[in-house]
Structures are given as C-alpha cells and as structure tokens.
Amino acid sequence: MDNWVIALIKVVFIWTWTLLIATLMTWVERRGSAMMQDRLGPNRAGPFGLFQPLADGIKLFTKEDIIPEKAHKILFSLGPILFALPAFSAYAVIPFGDKLVVNGKEIILQVADVNVGFLYVVALGAMAVYGIVLGGWGSNNKYSILGGLRSTAQLISYEVPFGLSLLAVVLVYGTFSLREISLAQQGTFLGFLPNWGIFKQPLGFILFIVTAYAEANRVPFDLPEAESEIVAGYHTEYGSMRLGLYLFGEYVNMYTLAALMVTLYFGAWHLPYIDMSKFLGPVSYGIASFLVFFLKTAFFLWLFVWVRWTVPRFRYDQVMGLGWKALIPLALVNLFITALCIQLTV
Amino acid sequence: MAKPVVKKEYTFLERIYLWEIVKGLKLTFKHFTFNFKESLKKGPHTVPTCWQYPEDRRPIAPVFRGAHMLCLDDEGRELCVGCGMCARACPAKCITVKRGKPAEGEEGKYAGKTMSTEFTIDMLRCIFCGFCEEACPKGAIQLGQEYELAEYTMDACIYDKERLLANFQKAKAEGKLKPPKKPVPVAEGDKKAAAKKAAQKPAGKEATKSKKATSKPQAEEKKASESKGEET
C-alpha cells in the first residue's frame, strides 16, 4: 500500500511539474523571442508579465468551443486528446533525479523504471502524429489537411534517423532502461572526459537533436504549422481549450525531449568530476540531483526557443532531402562505427 | 542592364548548416543579452527600439499635424475672419465656416472686421493634410500636436469653435505652439516681378522650381498676417 502512495505522489508531482514548466515555457518563449527581435514582449500581467500564461489559460478556457459545421465531429474532438495524451504520459519513464532516502526507504525519482523505457518514449512520440493528422483531417479544411499531410511526410523522414541515433546509444550502454543509462554516466572515461553520452556519441547527439526538433514540430521543422504558408496548419479550425491542448502538448513534448537529451547525452543528474552523493545527505542529495537535472533540461528548453528565433523554416522537400539523404546515411554510419568500436573494445 | 546573378558555390561548412546555425545563434544571443540588460534598467524607455506607449512617447516634431486649433493673437483676439478659405482648400470637405459680423460691443474680441459665427471640423473625415493651415490668410487655423483623438460617440468627434479655441489655450499652456513660419528672404527690387511671374506659371511647375518662386506669394501673405497678429 505504501508503494502505491509513493507512486501516486510521484505521478502527481511530475504531472504538475511538467504542466508548470510548459506554462512557464509559453512565457519564456514570448519574452525570449521578443528580446531577440528587439521588442519587450508581454510585460504587463504581474511582475515581468509572469501571469501572462495564466491570463491566456483563463482566456482559452472561457472562450466558446466551436466545432465547424462540416467537420468530422468525432475526429475533430479526438485530435487534441490524441496529441496531448502521449505528450503527457511520455515523461513517465524518464528520470527527474537520482533517489531520495526518507526514513530508510529509497525512493527513485522516476515514475516507472521500465526496462524498455526507451521504446516507450519513441512509440509515444510517434503516436502524437496521429493527433495532428486526425485533427487536420477532421477539420475539413484545406490548410488543416495540408498540415496533417506534412506531418506524416515529415514523420517518415525523421523517425528513422531518430530511432537509429537512439539505437547507437543503446549499443553504448547495453540497456533500454533510462535509469540504468543515467547511472552509467557517472565518473570519467579516458581519464579526463566526463562519462557523458555526448563524448561517446557526438555525431549521434547532433542527429538526435536535429530529429528531436522535427519530432517536437519546432522551427526549423514546424512544417505542420507553418503559419506563413498554411495559416496555422493542423490547428487552423481549432479554438478555445482544444487549441490550448495542442499548444500545451507541444511544450510538454519539448520538455520530454529536452529531458531525454539530458538523460542520454548530458549525464542526467551527474555533475562533471564531482560526485554529489559523497558529501550530501540523502534528502539533500535527492533534491540536488533533481535541480541539476532540471537545470540541464532548462538549458535545452531554452535552446528550443533560441533556435526557433534564429533559423528559418525548411522547405517541404528540403526536409525530405535532409532526412533521407543526410540524416539516415549519417545515422547508419554512426551506428556502424559505434558497433565496430564496441566489438573491438569488449 | 541588370546585373547578372552569380550563384555562389557553397563551402562545406555552409552546406552542413550547423556552423551557420551556430553563427546565427550567436547573433540572436547578442540581441537577447543587450535587450535583456536594457529592460532591467530603471526608468522609462530603456530598450532603445521599444516605446511602451502610454508611458513612453516618441518626441513629436514641431510641424506635426495633429488636432486643429483656432489661434488667438497676443491680445487674445480671434484671428479667424471667417473667409472660408480653409473649407475650400479642404480635400475631405470636413470644415464648415459661416461668416458674420461681430455683435455690438464685441468688436474687441476679434482681430478682423468680420468673424466666424460657426466653425466646425468633422474629425471623422479629416485626413490631417494640413491644407487648411496653408490656405488660411490669417494663420488662424493650425494643426497642433495632439494625436489621441478617440471619443466614445461620433458626435464628440465633431469639433465646434469652443473646442478648437480650447485646443489653442491648452497648447499655449503646454508650450506646444508651432514656431512662427520663417519668412523667405526676397530681394526688394524684383519682389513684384517675381510674384507676377510665379502667378503666371502653371501650378505643377511651380512646385518643382526653385524655392523662391514658390514661396514668394505665400511669404507675402504670411508677412502680412504676422505683422498684424503675432509681431504686434
């Protein structure tokens, strides 16, 4: 019974935490983009405009919920749910810290340490495309369907290198469990480099980050939305909280992918050269590991925003070209070299 | 002949995007840090490219064309004689002027022998071109610096004479009156001849010709009005 309570607390905590970060990210995105474009952004609601997401949320909730007359009612309402649900549940297998020892009981800071956690994340990431396609199809609008179409076309070009770059990581660590991968990144290798994934898989990380941007539908791969070309893409017809779910799901996706980057390539909760567990108490170590993990994630979240306002959008065929002609061969080469190195060293 | 387009051969670094993206990130980060630092400073208008409107306002040039006002001379007499030149010049036909004689015992209130009994400007139709200002022989109507002209009703947007006079009083109190127009220097001898010449020329050519030719007749009028009104 006790384990149930702990699991419930963890679920509720990570759920609210993810929502909080996603809400905050809308503010960071707007203020950050404004600063990059020599503007100020929303700075009226609360200190530094921090209550702006709250005001936006209230607005979205109180708006009229419109379903277009000629839309497919079921698919139209299913779209946002199918998009947001995988986004919210994907974080379950990603750790958010090491462990917390309370009253001699060890609590792992991870909702579920699934031994195929990896596949779970990839599968749910691919699931989110259903939300986009069904929303686009159900809207019965040319721009929406174009957005959904682009989403599927994009999926087949980025999902393969995405999986292949992750496969190389699996080869390096010999496990699918994200917690075990995190634990394996402690200490140093070759005497001076921190034992992080980025130093073992530099090419793999570049491939992963590029495909992760495509997975999150962020610039430069935000083709399904492409507001300058197809109005708003798949969510053209959406309003009120249905639109809110789409927008929110995007940020939750970003958070999950940023956390995945940190877990796989940037040593999860480990600091380079410093072993925190040696000089911190059990509770403070748990909190410190959580904070370190979050700070690293926050950097990658910021990178999402930063890249968005720097790089222009890829053209439709350019994404295909990049995916099939550059990323997949590179991912295969990366996988081959990794396999060769492991075969030679073991 | 148009310049032929030369396609640049991309280098390897450019073709793999990544280094160029890093360069771009550097640029956006520079903008971000600069604006971030500036926005944390105390005081209005710290980010140089951003005016936070109700608090920060851009400086307005003295020749800005905002809300109209009917000017008084230094003795507090109305300059307007009700000639209707402004209404005639107005391309939007938004000015209504009716000329009348001042009532018994009220002659001291007006600079001229006649006055306007009615003077309304429909601000909903006004396009702020400033032609009325140029047409006025007495310098009575002027466009001020007020630009927040929103009202709750359409009727409130039709400015009557009291309102236009009040605009002048307000601008005077705030020191926002237009600087007097500089008279264009004209040589004494050929003043009349030049004026005659300018009058004969078609209007289109006049504008493109030298300053002197265009501004002479105006300058004379202005001089006359100024000597009557403002310089006394």
Side-chain angles (χ1 to χ4, degrees):
Chain A
M1 201 60 202
D2 220 23
N3 284 339
W4 279 101
V5 175
I6 289 167
L8 196 69
I9 289 170
K10 281 199 283 196
V11 168
V12 169
F13 170 75
I14 200 64
W15 186 284
T16 38
W17 179 254
T18 320
L19 286 183
L20 189 73
I21 296 304
T23 333
L24 218 73
M25 275 311 289
T26 57
W27 176 79
V28 170
E29 170 109 54
R30 293 179 67 183
R31 288 304 307 263
S33 67
M35 295 281 172
M36 284 174 197
Q37 297 170 346
D38 295 347
R39 296 182 287 117
L40 276 174
N43 61 349
R44 293 297 156 129
F48 304 107
L50 264 172
F51 296 156
Q52 188 66 38
L54 206 70
D56 286 344
I58 293 169
K59 185 200 81 176
L60 284 173
F61 266 115
T62 48
K63 275 183 116 170
E64 188 189 351
D65 181 23
I66 299 170
I67 297 179
E69 205 172 276
K70 298 217 169 143
H72 193 296
K73 303 279 181 306
I74 297 164
L75 292 186
F76 188 83
S77 34
L78 205 63
I81 298 166
L82 273 183
F83 184 75
L85 204 66
F88 285 128
S89 38
Y91 202 91
V93 295
I94 300 174
F96 49 91
D98 191 3
K99 60 190 174 190
L100 206 62
V101 182
V102 184
N103 294 335
K105 200 167 166 51
E106 203 174 83
I107 302 166
I108 298 165
L109 292 182
Q110 185 180 10
V111 173
D113 184 15
V114 186
N115 59 0
V116 289
F118 228 99
L119 298 178
Y120 175 81
V121 174
V122 177
L124 283 182
M127 273 277 287
V129 176
Y130 274 113
I132 294 176
V133 176
L134 289 185
W137 176 260
S139 298
N140 197 6
N141 173 313
K142 60 185 169 188
Y143 299 116
S144 301
I145 190 66
L146 274 175
L149 204 70
R150 283 173 172 213
S151 185
T152 41
Q154 192 179 315
L155 173 90
I156 54 165
S157 55
Y158 75 73
E159 199 70 24
V160 180
F162 186 71
L164 287 176
S165 62
L166 289 179
L167 208 58
V169 178
V170 176
L171 276 183
V172 169
Y173 293 108
T175 174
F176 275 106
S177 160
L178 288 168
R179 180 169 165 79
E180 277 171 39
I181 290 174
S182 315
L183 285 171
Q185 296 186 47
Q186 201 173 12
T188 54
F189 80 110
L190 294 177
F192 63 99
L193 280 174
N195 206 358
W196 288 5
I198 173 90
F199 299 112
K200 293 180 173 173
Q201 286 283 323
L203 182 60
F205 172 67
I206 290 168
L207 292 172
F208 179 77
I209 199 166
V210 171
T211 45
Y213 278 69
E215 171 104 21
N217 292 327
R218 295 285 294 185
V219 174
F221 305 110
D222 67 334
L223 297 171
E225 271 183 64
E227 64 269 11
S228 51
E229 298 162 27
I230 47 172
V231 191
Y234 58 94
H235 59 61
T236 307
E237 291 288 346
Y238 283 91
S240 84
M241 205 51 208
R242 286 179 210 272
L243 175 70
L245 270 180
Y246 269 130
L247 301 180
F248 225 65
E250 189 188 319
Y251 285 99
V252 175
N253 252 338
M254 268 164 65
Y255 185 52
T256 312
L257 286 164
L260 201 63
M261 278 177 218
V262 172
T263 317
L264 299 177
Y265 295 101
F266 281 87
W269 54 82
H270 300 298
L271 284 174
Y273 312 118
I274 301 165
D275 190 0
M276 286 188 298
S277 62
K278 277 187 184 145
F279 53 87
L280 284 175
V283 176
S284 54
Y285 171 65
I287 294 166
S289 69
F290 171 73
L291 283 178
V292 168
F293 189 89
F294 174 66
L295 284 178
K296 285 178 183 176
T297 314
F299 171 76
F300 282 100
L301 282 173
W302 169 242
L303 196 68
F304 268 106
V305 174
W306 190 3
V307 167
R308 172 164 184 188
W309 301 102
T310 303
V311 186
R313 185 183 306 119
F314 272 70
R315 218 193 309 138
Y316 188 50
D317 59 311
Q318 284 171 336
V319 176
M320 305 291 123
L322 184 75
W324 290 99
K325 291 195 291 203
L327 293 182
I328 291 179
L330 276 176
L332 285 172
V333 167
N334 182 46
L335 190 66
F336 179 72
I337 293 171
T338 314
L340 205 69
C341 288
I342 286 165
Q343 189 64 32
L344 291 177
T345 51
V346 172
Chain B
M1 204 185 118
K3 204 179 158 192
V5 179
V6 182
K7 270 211 167 174
K8 197 174 142 264
E9 196 71 26
Y10 288 119
T11 60
F12 177 70
L13 271 180
E14 281 167 346
R15 268 187 292 139
I16 60 166
Y17 302 122
L18 290 171
W19 181 242
E20 298 297 311
I21 289 173
V22 170
K23 271 156 81 179
L25 288 177
K26 210 177 110 195
L27 183 74
T28 38
F29 193 67
K30 216 167 75 191
H31 276 260
F32 177 80
T33 43
F34 174 76
N35 288 314
F36 187 71
K37 271 188 224 150
E38 295 294 311
S39 72
L40 287 182
K41 279 184 193 163
K42 282 259 176 287
H45 185 50
T46 52
V47 175
T49 46
C50 195
W51 274 263
Q52 298 199 58
Y53 165 60
E55 289 102 42
D56 311 342
R57 284 151 196 264
R58 280 173 193 262
I60 291 172
V63 291
F64 184 85
R65 301 197 297 264
H68 307 68
M69 51 197 184
L70 273 179
C71 297
L72 307 176
D73 65 2
D74 288 348
E75 293 161 27
R77 300 180 299 178
E78 273 178 38
L79 281 170
C80 180
V81 292
C83 63
M85 293 283 272
C86 46
R88 219 155 233 276
C90 183
K93 302 266 175 285
C94 66
I95 307 179
T96 316
V97 191
K98 272 185 190 151
R99 182 156 57 164
K101 289 244 164 169
E104 277 301 311
E106 280 191 353
E107 286 92 346
K109 275 173 74 179
Y110 306 99
K113 281 176 187 163
T114 53
M115 47 78 86
S116 52
T117 50
E118 190 199 334
F119 198 106
T120 52
I121 299 179
D122 188 347
M123 296 301 270
L124 297 168
R125 285 165 67 176
C126 178
I127 57 168
F128 300 96
C129 60
F131 283 7
C132 48
E133 196 177 358
E134 278 175 37
C136 185
K138 300 288 176 190
I141 184 166
Q142 280 195 354
L143 273 71
Q145 301 197 357
E146 283 297 316
Y147 53 87
E148 288 160 326
L149 308 173
E151 297 283 357
Y152 284 101
T153 57
M154 287 172 85
D155 289 339
C157 291
I158 295 165
Y159 288 10
D160 55 6
K161 200 172 170 182
E162 279 85 61
R163 177 120 191 221
L164 292 166
L165 287 167
N167 278 352
F168 173 76
Q169 300 290 8
K170 200 181 156 211
K172 199 177 178 188
E174 289 169 5
K176 280 183 183 169
L177 286 181
K178 276 193 182 175
K181 278 190 182 141
K182 282 178 202 157
V184 181
V186 181
E188 272 301 316
D190 55 18
K191 203 171 168 183
K192 272 186 182 172
K196 218 176 178 184
K197 219 179 169 186
Q200 280 168 356
K201 270 182 191 167
K205 265 189 188 172
E206 243 178 40
T208 52
K209 269 274 177 181
S210 66
K211 263 189 219 165
K212 272 186 193 171
T214 53
S215 48
K216 260 169 210 162
Q218 269 186 17
E220 278 180 14
E221 284 173 15
K222 284 285 130 63
K223 257 194 175 175
S225 68
E226 271 166 20
S227 62
K228 249 190 186 176
E230 285 158 26
E231 281 172 17
T232 45

